[in-house]
Amino acid sequence: MIREDGEVTASGKETAVYAAGGVVWRRVDGKLRVLIIHRTKYRDLTLPKGKVDPGETLAETAVREIREETGIRVALGVPVGVSRYRMPNSRTKIVHYWAAEATDAAVRTSSFVPNKEVAAIEWMSLKKARKHLSYPVDIEILDEFTRIVEEDALPTFPIVVLRHGKALSRDDWDGADGARPLTPRGRRQAASIVGPLLAFGVRRVYSSPAERCVRTATPIAQALGQRLHLCPEISQDAWEDGRADARTVVGQRVRARKPVVLTSHGPVLPDILHELALATGTMSGSYLGSASALSPGAFSVVHVPVEHPGAGIVAIETHEPRV
């Protein structure tokens, strides 16, 4: 069994050490700059990152570590790669990276002061950063980020497609299907996805009116201090009756260009992903099937360019529930 915290498994064997971080970026006078940290102990220049804490997801780790090392609060954008390297103790370290825009407000309110781990932070051009980064694995991540920049794909906004948590089976429920509740595990899943969804900066939450979807979406809506928007058009009842209208819901969300969660049902998810591809001018492919084949409580993050949504989906990533 692989554990993101890199601890010893039940078999007694050590796993890889998992970590996460980001390429933090901003534009200054129209010029793109990325944030590089000068580490105190190692006297090197690297990208902000750190090890997963127990109970964290990689996305949560990336946001936390970026804030701890740079003082800047960010939301994650597109994934920009995974680095793997051998540590001095011979264990493998696996680090997941995302692009993360530093807004002007976040930079103004940065809490960074030099400390025993990070001596300084420095905004650099892509060219200068590539020249001064201390490690080839960091340069590879920066090169992937540069490719996305050159495609004019930044900034992006996420449309998160979420499948409801584990629900009571139809065989064990005598009422209407739309009233079928979450199981205790489903309720735990609903609580556990709040942190990861916040890491992607979601702002609004939409849901099928079915009880199992509403109860899955309610914790993240409450965490945002937002009301939950109900969408009968993406309910399973509507899908089974031929009344579903994922196209309208998806089209509205793409036009809005705001980070959002769409909570729905397993049979409806392929239609939602298909409409997202159509609405963004993205070529269809097997990746759509993978992104929509979600287990209960899992979600896929669809990253869409803010300035040119019709230029196509930049990336899709899928996250499984922790419980």
Side-chain angles (χ1 to χ4, degrees):
M1 178 179 68
I2 295 177
R3 294 172 53 126
E4 289 184 352
D5 55 18
E7 293 184 358
V8 176
T9 64
S11 65
K13 295 181 179 180
E14 289 185 339
T15 69
V17 174
Y18 283 81
V23 179
V24 182
W25 65 278
R26 64 187 294 214
R27 294 191 184 275
V28 181
D29 297 327
K31 297 180 180 179
L32 189 138
R33 296 290 184 264
V34 293
L35 191 59
I36 306 301
I37 65 171
H38 297 247
R39 292 197 297 182
T40 306
K41 178 180 177 180
Y42 300 102
R43 296 183 178 275
D44 58 8
L45 278 72
T46 185
L47 300 171
K49 64 179 181 298
K51 291 190 294 185
V52 174
D53 279 348
E56 276 187 331
T57 63
L58 289 162
E60 291 173 292
T61 298
V63 170
R64 176 183 56 77
E65 285 290 342
I66 289 170
R67 188 185 179 201
E68 289 180 358
E69 294 192 340
T70 72
I72 297 175
R73 291 178 178 269
V74 299
L76 302 181
V78 294
V80 290
V82 181
S83 69
R84 294 174 173 83
Y85 56 92
R86 188 73 67 177
M87 299 190 300
N89 62 6
S90 296
R91 295 178 70 186
T92 299
K93 191 169 189 177
I94 301 175
V95 190
H96 291 247
Y97 290 92
W98 284 265
E101 181 179 10
T103 65
D104 289 342
V107 173
R108 285 196 301 271
T109 58
S110 170
S111 60
F112 175 79
V113 292
N115 56 73
K116 63 181 182 180
E117 292 186 7
V118 181
I121 58 176
E122 183 176 359
W123 292 99
M124 297 184 180
S125 66
L126 291 173
K127 183 178 180 180
K128 183 177 179 181
R130 196 178 194 283
K131 179 179 179 181
H132 287 87
L133 282 169
S134 300
Y135 305 107
V137 289
D138 283 355
I139 294 173
E140 291 175 4
I141 297 299
L142 186 68
D143 285 346
E144 174 61 15
F145 174 81
T146 301
R147 181 190 66 80
I148 294 171
V149 170
E150 291 174 346
E151 293 180 354
D152 200 24
L154 293 180
T156 59
F157 67 96
I159 294 180
V160 179
V161 181
L162 168 65
R163 184 178 178 184
H164 64 75
K166 181 67 174 176
L168 198 67
S169 71
R170 289 192 178 191
D171 292 340
D172 296 328
W173 178 249
D174 293 330
D177 184 67
R180 192 150 46 94
L182 294 178
T183 64
R185 182 185 178 191
R187 293 194 293 271
R188 292 194 299 271
Q189 289 172 336
S192 73
I193 60 178
V194 171
L197 291 175
L198 290 176
F200 289 100
V202 298
R203 299 181 189 174
R204 291 192 175 187
V205 187
Y206 291 77
S207 173
S208 157
E211 176 74 6
R212 55 194 182 277
C213 289
V214 169
R215 294 307 169 192
T216 301
T218 293
I220 179 61
Q222 290 176 337
L224 292 168
Q226 297 285 335
R227 73 180 181 90
L228 181 63
H229 302 268
L230 299 183
C231 290
E233 301 91 339
I234 56 172
S235 70
Q236 186 161 337
D237 285 345
W239 181 83
E240 291 178 350
D241 294 342
R243 297 180 289 103
D245 188 8
R247 176 164 297 181
T248 295
V249 175
V250 167
Q252 290 172 344
R253 305 291 31 102
V254 171
R255 289 193 297 274
R257 307 183 193 195
K258 300 295 183 182
V260 67
V261 179
L262 302 178
T263 312
S264 190
H265 311 259
V268 188
L269 299 182
D271 290 349
I272 294 175
L273 267 295
H274 177 69
E275 293 301 334
L276 273 168
L278 290 178
T280 56
T282 307
M283 295 289 289
S284 296
S286 59
Y287 69 94
L288 291 176
S290 299
S292 62
L294 300 177
S295 60
F299 62 90
S300 288
V301 185
V302 181
H303 297 276
V304 181
V306 172
E307 299 299 328
H308 310 286
I313 294 168
V314 180
I316 301 178
E317 54 183 301
T318 297
H319 296 258
E320 292 293 327
R322 289 175 289 184
V323 294

